[in-house]
Every structure is written in C-alpha cells, then in structure tokens.
Amino acid sequence: MSVSAAASELTPPDIVRCAYLDLVVTDLAASREFYVDTLGLVVTEEDDEAIYLRSFEEFIHHNLVLRKGPVAAAAAFAFRVRTPEDVDRAEQWFAARGCRAERRKDGFVKGIGDAVRVTDPLGFPYEFFYEVEHVERLAWSYDLHTPGALVRLDHFNQVTPDVPKGRAYLEELGFRVTEDIKDEEGTTYAAWLRRKSTVHDTALTGGDGPRLHHIAFATHEKHNILAICDKLGALRKSDVIERGPGRHGVSNAFYLYIRDPDGHRVEIYTQDYYTGDPDNPVVTWDVHDNQRRDWWGNPVVPSWYTEASPVLDLDGNPQPVRERTDTSEMAVTVGADGFSYTRKDDVAEGFKLGNSL
C-alpha cells in the first residue's frame, strides 16, 4: 500500500480493544436460540430486526449484534478507541489512505454514539467509536452464569489473500504482532495482532478474502468449554462442533470452534498469555509444525481452512472475494487423503483421522 508523506504524518487512532461484531443473519429466531439459549449470551435489548448481546463481564451495550438480512455476512468489525478525538483521527487516517469512510454522530447501531465506518485497505468494514451506553456488568451475578459462561469478547479473525500487506497496514495503525506462521521460503500464512495485552484482538488468516473467519468469546477456564461440549451433546446438537476441544500451539489457548445456523464460525477461547511489555517477543511457527494449530497434533479439518463468511461494503453489499495466490496452509500441511499431517523434516503420516471417513 502506497502511503503519501502527508498521510504518513497523521496520528492513527488509539485503539483500546475489539469491542463488537455487527453480524447479519438470515433467521433471527434460529440465531437467538443458538447464541442465547445454547451459548448463554445476555440480551441487552431486541426487536423484530436485531438482537443486541453481551458477555457476562461486559459493561458496554453489546459485543454482538445479530441483524436480520438477506445474506449472512459481517457488516462491521468494531473497535473501541480511547477518546472522542480518536474517532476524528480514525476518519482522517483512513481517508488519507484513499479508503471510503462514513461518519454517523448517532452511531450505526443502538447503544453506540459517534462512530466512523471505513472500508479498510484489505476490503474489511471496520468501525471506530468511543461513545457508548453503559449497561449492568454481570460479573458478580453468578446466579445467572451458566457452566459454559462466556465472559468476554476476545478477538476477531479475518481471511485475506495478502497477509503481509494486512500485517504492515495494521502495524501502521498501531497493532503489535504477537505470533505468526511462516515457511523457509518466507511465505506468511497467518499473523496475530493485538491492542489489548493478550495474544490478539484480530488475526489474519491467509486465504480467499476478504471474509470473516470467526469471532471468539472467552471463558474463564477450559472446563467451561467442556461444559459447552457436554451441553451440545445433551441437546443433540453436536454437529455444530467443527474443531476441538483442544489446545492451540499458537496462543497456547484452549479452544472450541462451532458453527451457527448461518455457518458463521464462533470460537470459544480461554487461557492465552500476557503480551503487554513493549519488548514482548514475536513467536514464529513453522508451517510444517503440526502442533502450531493444535498442540496435541490433531489435524485441522479442511472446512476450517476453506469456509468463511462474506463481509459487506458500506452500502451493505457483499464484497467480492479475491483469490489467494501465495501457497495455502492447507495445501502444504494436509495430505491428499484429507487427514494426514506434517512435521518439519518429516514425511506425511496418515494415522491422525480428521473428518474423512
């Protein structure tokens, strides 16, 4: 991305954290059953067109908006900024880079005030806001907590064909890289970037994009994730489990991936590590290390690499998807049988079954 001298002198907005996802769903009732009745997210408010949800420790209006629409897609990845002036900085910073920006003093959704939405250099819809309605924080309301209580929004994950371009632009925006996946030829397959002092607020996964790979909510402990698995089994809904439970090598976190009624991917995530020091070292994983995605060496199912949700432009239209031309992670790590896996300087082995039989 070519940046003019004037644009490079602008101060980027001071981003605090990922704050909410504006998600379009096709069946609001089915989505409510999934996110509220099954996963236990808290309803802040709802009507016939949208449901505003938050996690138990949240005090801002929502972490997730489920909005009824004709195409299941992500409408905005929203980030909280530190001051009202940082909304101005966001608008100026992206406009100077030739990105389309739209400002609404009353916000784009309920509970959010002055906000700017942009189409970023990768084609993703980003929102930046400071003004927000406060709601009751339910951290101490243990009578309401479920065994699998979702306590925080942790991160987004975005699919893009050009991870190095996205990494460079997000670093200019003030994000810090914590981990990445590369090979000996220098191909970058994924990168994890943070603003808050965890492993990431968003990640870039190499693939056809722009698309939403997943939104992730945190639990306190890994037993909460196991409780979610048990509940899904008891409800005869185990088919929504795509991957896990397991432990990542990248991030060191315990994880579970599930799919909502529209196929949007949700990660349940816990117990990563602190990254807040200014000299926090970047952890680089070799793409052929089979423990990078799952610390126990279990394979990644092909759908995890290939399927993702569309994202919308600022007019509400699906963004065209560009093909990744760099080598894909799935191509170099999943064998022709669909379930073999690799380790550096080793040959493919065929005994770790995935979703094949």
Side-chain angles (χ1 to χ4, degrees), residues 163-182:
V163 175
K165 175 183 176 181
R167 174 178 183 161
Y169 132 66
L170 286 171
E171 286 184 298
E172 289 178 1
L173 188 56
F175 285 80
R176 297 282 297 276
V177 176
T178 57
E179 304 200 27
D180 57 19
I181 296 175
K182 295 183 177 181

Side-chain angles (χ1 to χ4, degrees), residues 273-294:
Y273 59 91
Y274 171 78
T275 61
D277 283 16
D279 56 349
N280 180 72
V282 176
V283 178
T284 294
W285 295 79
D286 188 281
V287 72
H288 295 292
D289 186 341
N290 70 294
Q291 293 183 235
R292 72 200 183 285
R293 292 291 188 183
D294 184 281

Side-chain angles (χ1 to χ4, degrees), residues 99-115:
C99 298
R100 181 182 170 190
E102 182 179 340
R103 184 83 171 261
R104 292 189 186 178
K105 294 294 184 180
D106 295 327
F108 293 82
V109 297
K110 291 181 179 180
I112 303 295
D114 183 23

